[in-house]
Amino acid sequence: MSSPLSPLRSPLRDYGSGGDDRHAATPHAYDIGLLVLRLAVGLIMAAHGAQKLFGWFSGPGLDGTGQFFAASGYPAGKAMAVVAGLSETLGGLGLVLGLLTPLAGAAVVGTMVNALAVKWGGGFFAPEGVEYELLLTAGAGALALTGPGRYAVDRLLPVLRNHRLAYGVAALVFGVIVAFVMLLVRD
């Protein structure tokens, strides 16, 4: 049995285990889990952004994405394609690196709120549904709220070294407000 002052004791240990820490996750396990989540969500979003911006990975590029945005009711379709592509690419890369994680997560959440609005009404499951977009939104939001973990560039930045929930909440509020403003300009 470990001491009550043991650094491995955590409120996140097995609930109801009666104080037995043998099955509790270590802080490094949480950091590895956050790294895996950051890599998955970040790489997916960065690749989607590269499809929009550069036509990579069989994407439509700026012209095709701009036409899609215009057909979806957004003014200045090509400009909206640039905004979405940059938000996805830079937000995704920020998550991958763990750089400015609250803002990176908010950029992805804001973009995905618009994607959800465009796809809404097609049901929940693929190919017309929104479950994929909801999963990416939840993952990015969770990272903005929890922070990137120890294996991240944010650990080198004095302001973000010790992640605060308030940073994530503020960033997400900002991202959602910007997303709704973009939805308001949509026809």
Side-chain angles (χ1 to χ4, degrees):
M1 183 156 161
S2 63
S3 152
L5 301 176
S6 169
L8 293 180
R9 291 191 59 97
S10 164
L12 299 175
R13 70 172 196 248
D14 292 341
Y15 185 74
S17 66
D20 184 2
D21 286 341
R22 288 178 292 161
H23 301 289
T26 66
H28 291 288
Y30 293 112
D31 294 326
I32 295 288
L34 289 170
L35 174 63
V36 169
L37 181 60
R38 283 188 5 244
L39 290 174
V41 174
L43 289 173
I44 288 168
M45 292 309 301
H48 276 277
Q51 286 182 305
K52 288 173 178 64
L53 292 174
F54 312 115
W56 295 353
F57 312 113
S58 303
L62 282 176
D63 290 332
T65 305
Q67 291 171 3
F68 170 79
F69 274 101
S72 298
Y74 290 92
K78 195 166 184 178
M80 294 303 293
V82 170
V83 169
L86 286 173
S87 296
E88 290 179 4
T89 302
L90 297 176
L93 292 175
L95 290 177
V96 166
L97 297 172
L99 176 63
L100 304 174
T101 305
L103 289 176
V108 170
V109 167
T111 302
M112 297 313 295
V113 165
N114 276 266
L116 286 163
V118 168
K119 282 191 75 175
W120 201 259
F124 184 75
F125 294 106
E128 304 298 323
V130 295
E131 85 280 7
Y132 177 67
E133 290 81 4
L134 281 173
L135 181 61
L136 290 171
T137 305
L143 288 167
L145 293 172
T146 62
R150 274 185 250 216
Y151 309 118
V153 175
D154 281 354
R155 297 280 294 175
L156 304 173
L157 304 174
V159 173
L160 294 175
R161 182 173 296 133
N162 296 315
H163 181 80
R164 303 282 189 266
L165 178 61
Y167 299 161
V169 170
L172 287 176
V173 166
F174 175 72
V176 169
I177 287 171
V178 171
F180 279 111
V181 168
M182 292 291 105
L183 289 173
L184 289 175
V185 301
R186 188 173 161 227
D187 292 334

